[in-house]
Amino acid sequence: VQLQASGGGLVQAGGSLRLSCTASGRAFPTYAVGWFRQAPGKEREFVAAITRSGENTYYVDSAKGRFTISRDNAENTVYLLMNSLKREDTAVYYCAAATGWPKVAVRDYNYWGQGTLVTVSS
């Protein structure tokens, strides 16, 4: 499966963005999908993940209550709605697909999109 992330941009602190991860291939509904981010000089970290059906979601503590991950399998797309953005959310955001249950480790994801830059200004 091939993934393409989009929707990044420049936003003021407190604002919102919605990222999209669009996949090619009929097998997309069989994959769990995660969002990760990587800030300059830092390691890539887990942000959120969603099960194949979309019934279960998982978030890093810093995203709980502010970010919402969802998916539309008919459109082969996973979304990450980010509200109340903070400067520390500035990073390149990546979506990734994994077989089975959602994971939080980078190494457990098989397919990666190219990343979309989110910049939060004060």
Side-chain angles (χ1 to χ4, degrees), residues 9-122:
L10 175 64
V11 62
Q12 287 191 327
S16 299
L17 279 177
R18 189 180 76 162
L19 306 182
S20 298
C21 176
T22 303
S24 62
R26 298 179 180 176
F28 178 69
T30 67
Y31 290 93
V33 175
W35 282 98
F36 291 75
R37 65 186 178 190
Q38 188 165 17
K42 295 188 176 181
E43 292 188 351
R44 194 169 298 189
E45 65 172 359
F46 170 80
V47 176
I50 190 166
T51 53
R52 291 167 289 182
S53 67
E55 189 170 338
N56 298 93
T57 57
Y58 306 87
Y59 300 92
V60 66
D61 284 348
S62 61
K64 290 178 181 177
R66 299 190 301 127
F67 294 4
T68 302
I69 188 171
S70 61
R71 70 189 296 164
D72 182 344
N73 284 338
E75 297 294 328
N76 272 13
T77 302
V78 170
Y79 302 99
L80 184 67
L81 175 61
M82 305 186 294
N83 295 322
S84 302
L85 283 161
K86 306 175 182 179
R87 287 193 64 185
E88 51 264 43
D89 294 318
T90 295
V92 177
Y93 284 71
Y94 299 88
C95 60
T99 55
W101 205 251
K103 286 84 168 173
V104 298
V106 170
R107 65 177 179 274
D108 291 328
Y109 282 79
N110 310 96
Y111 304 98
W112 290 84
Q114 86 289 1
T116 185
L117 177 62
V118 172
T119 304
V120 183
S121 63
S122 58

